[in-house]
């Protein structure tokens, strides 16, 4: 059983992303969408937490949201960039989804 | 796979309505079935036909209506949330003694049980909100 | 209709926004569908079930007594994040006493609140099939 965690809040404004990381289990997937994509940027003060999560979870970011915010090409290594079709695949390939609103 | 989509925010105020639309389109393109799209909280505002965004902006309500017409989507607005926020169909407006209704084509108003049923009947429930 | 594991995740404080109230409305409806329902109170969600709420001064209805009724609807698993309580300077004594009568145990009154740390909360979440957050 694996879960897709969808997070849409900037970790610099809300605690949702931190909470998501604290409650995701090994083997789960984490997808950053909307304002949460800023968490994918390499070199930020939050990047270490995302890198730590990658040890036993897969981490994805919605490319369209990165591009919209002028952050294309700034995602850290190891984060997989997906489009909306890839977002759908993530929901289908994991057993359940949880949105960290 | 069979999906139910929950939309918790209104259009324009928050990106979640846009993301839900993009997700729903992508799921349909991949051949998945959308069992229901349920609109709750301010999400009920997706279903008013009286929105007039600037000419160069996207038409979120119309996009839902067109998607519903093309794919036979079941777009359900929560009645309790709708009554709080003034989203009315003709029957409900009459029942409440109101002088107008504003529901957009392709949407219907029903109870919260429709959301719970969506969760039971679908393989996946995906929530979009703030 | 089949029975699924439903989890309602509450992470927002009451009154400031309507999410907590409208979430509770879905929880009550879900009881009619005889699903296996759990609730989680994490982050500011723990403020939803503090005792002594008095909303008279803000002109809004105090809906916290509704949580007391959940036991009567067979909604008996309310997981509360122990870290979230501690971070906010709260203990379980600051929460309402939420209980249910156990039909399998001669209707003995039992607590509905289950204190869970992050690992326990994550393990509970992993068991869920439908997760609703508002």
């Amino acid at each position: 059983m694996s879960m897709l965690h969808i997070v849409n809040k900037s970790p610099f404004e809300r605690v949702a992303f931190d909470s998501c990381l604290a409650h995701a289990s090994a083997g789960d997937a984490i997808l950053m969408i909307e304002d949460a994509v800023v968490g994918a940027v390499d070199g930020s003060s939050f990047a270490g937490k995302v890198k730590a999560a990658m040890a036993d979870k897969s981490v994805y970011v919605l490319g369209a949201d990165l591009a919209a915010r002028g952050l294309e090409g700034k995602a850290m290594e190891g984060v997989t960039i997906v489009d909306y079709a890839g977002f759908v695949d993530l929901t289908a390939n994991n057993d359940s989804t949880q949105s960290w609103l | 796979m069979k999906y139910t989509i929950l939309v918790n925010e209104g259009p324009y105020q928050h990106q979640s309505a846009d993301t839900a639309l993009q997700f729903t389109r992508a799921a349909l393109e991949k051949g998945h079935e959308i069992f229901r799209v349920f609109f709750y909280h301010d999400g009920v505002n997706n279903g008013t036909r009286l929105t007039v965004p600037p000419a160069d902006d996207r038409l979120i309500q119309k996009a839902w209506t067109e998607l519903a017409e093309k794919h036979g989507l079941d777009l359900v607005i929560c009645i309790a949330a709708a009554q709080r926020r003034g989203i009315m169909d003709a029957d409900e407006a009459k029942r409440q003694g109101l002088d107008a209704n504003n529901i957009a084509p392709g949407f219907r108003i029903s109870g919260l049980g429709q959301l719970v049923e969506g969760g039971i009947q679908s393989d996946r429930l995906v929530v979009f909100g703030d | 209709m089949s029975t699924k594991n439903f989890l309602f995740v509450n992470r927002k404080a009451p009154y400031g926004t309507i999410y907590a109230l409208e979430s509770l409305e879905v929880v009550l409806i879900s009881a009619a569908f005889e699903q296996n329902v759990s609730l989680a109170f994490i982050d500011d969600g723990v403020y939803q079930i503090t005792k002594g709420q008095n909303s008279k001064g803000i002109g809004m209805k105090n809906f916290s007594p509704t949580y007391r009724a959940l036991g009567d609807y067979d909604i008996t698993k309310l997981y509360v994040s122990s870290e979230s309580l501690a971070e906010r300077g709260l203990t379980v004594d600051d929460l309402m006493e939420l209980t249910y009568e156990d039909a399998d145990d001669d209707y003995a009154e039992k607590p509905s609140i289950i204190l869970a740390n992050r690992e326990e909360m994550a393990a509970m979440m992993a068991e869920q099939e439908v997760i609703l957050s508002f």
Side-chain angles (χ1 to χ4, degrees):
Chain A
M1 292 285 282
S2 64
M3 185 181 289
L4 172 68
H5 300 266
I6 304 165
V7 56
N8 72 341
K9 296 293 181 311
S10 163
F12 304 108
E13 197 205 354
R14 312 259 194 116
V15 299
F17 208 147
D18 274 307
S19 236
C20 168
L21 294 177
H23 292 97
S25 298
D28 283 356
I30 297 166
L31 170 66
M32 297 171 250
I33 66 168
E34 299 172 1
D35 285 353
V37 300
V38 302
V41 173
D42 205 5
S44 85
S45 61
F46 192 73
K49 288 185 181 176
V50 176
K51 282 179 183 162
M54 280 185 220
D56 58 1
K57 298 164 199 83
S58 45
V59 180
Y60 304 84
V61 64
L62 193 58
D65 278 323
L66 263 185
R69 289 158 179 81
L71 301 173
E72 208 168 27
K74 290 196 187 296
M76 67 185 86
E77 208 175 311
V79 172
T80 307
I81 298 171
V82 297
D83 57 11
Y84 288 101
F87 182 177
V88 172
D89 289 343
L90 283 170
T91 62
N93 296 338
N94 289 279
D95 300 291
S96 59
T97 74
Q98 173 165 200
S99 295
W100 290 83
L101 305 178
Chain B
M1 266 191 181
K2 203 189 281 187
Y3 282 80
T4 286
I5 310 292
L6 171 62
V7 183
N8 287 339
E9 295 298 327
Y12 306 104
Q13 178 78 20
H14 191 281
Q15 197 188 344
S16 61
D18 293 275
T19 307
L21 255 172
Q22 303 268 19
F23 180 92
T24 304
R25 277 198 198 104
L28 289 165
E29 275 167 26
K30 284 196 148 275
H32 294 296
E33 179 192 342
I34 304 295
F35 177 77
R36 182 166 293 149
V37 184
F38 193 86
F39 297 89
Y40 196 38
H41 302 294
D42 277 358
V44 300
N45 291 318
N46 281 273
T48 168
R49 65 174 187 273
L50 301 183
T51 50
V52 188
D56 61 347
D57 204 349
R58 72 248 190 252
L59 301 168
I60 297 176
Q61 169 268 310
K62 211 157 167 248
W64 284 120
T65 294
E66 285 169 1
L67 210 58
E69 280 168 1
K70 193 171 167 195
H71 298 277
L73 291 190
D74 188 20
L75 307 180
V76 180
I77 295 172
C78 168
I79 186 162
Q83 286 177 335
R84 281 194 178 106
R85 294 163 178 87
I87 304 294
M88 294 284 154
D89 61 14
D91 286 348
E92 192 57 26
K94 196 176 168 194
R95 192 161 33 240
Q96 303 288 347
L98 299 168
D99 61 358
N101 71 79
N102 56 355
I103 193 167
F107 289 81
R108 66 185 178 95
I109 293 179
S110 189
L112 274 171
Q114 300 272 305
L115 169 60
V116 179
E117 189 203 19
I120 297 167
Q121 300 287 355
S122 304
D123 301 303
R124 298 286 184 273
L125 185 140
V126 187
V127 182
F128 296 92
D130 186 15
Chain C
M1 232 179 248
S2 59
T3 302
K4 283 189 175 178
N5 295 340
F6 269 70
L7 173 66
F8 293 87
V9 180
N10 299 289
R11 291 188 46 257
K12 291 168 183 162
Y15 307 111
T17 57
I18 200 171
Y19 299 107
L21 170 62
E22 287 191 332
S23 171
L24 193 53
E25 289 180 354
V26 189
V27 171
L28 291 170
I29 296 288
S30 73
F33 287 80
E34 297 184 347
Q35 301 298 299
N36 183 18
V37 174
S38 301
L39 273 62
F41 296 89
I42 303 171
D43 298 330
D44 283 353
V46 300
Y47 293 121
Q48 293 180 22
I49 50 173
T50 53
K51 63 182 168 196
Q53 294 181 29
N54 177 357
S55 61
K56 281 194 191 108
I58 59 170
M60 290 164 76
K61 187 180 165 190
N62 175 5
F63 61 95
S64 66
T66 309
Y67 293 97
R68 292 184 194 278
L70 291 178
D72 299 334
Y73 289 91
D74 285 330
I75 295 168
T76 60
K77 290 172 292 206
L78 277 58
Y79 294 87
V80 177
S81 162
S82 51
E83 288 93 347
S84 298
L85 281 180
E87 283 165 3
R88 286 159 182 76
L90 301 174
T91 70
V92 74
D93 294 334
D94 295 307
L95 305 179
M96 292 184 284
E97 278 182 45
L98 303 174
T99 58
Y100 70 102
E101 292 177 350
D102 189 351
D104 297 328
D105 189 9
D106 199 23
Y107 295 93
E109 192 164 297
K110 297 187 175 176
S112 298
I113 289 179
I114 304 160
L115 269 186
N117 63 26
R118 271 169 192 153
E119 289 72 30
E120 291 161 340
M121 197 68 88
M124 180 277 290
M125 284 175 176
E127 300 292 314
Q128 304 301 324
E129 296 171 282
V130 181
I131 301 170
L132 288 150
S133 34
F134 301 102

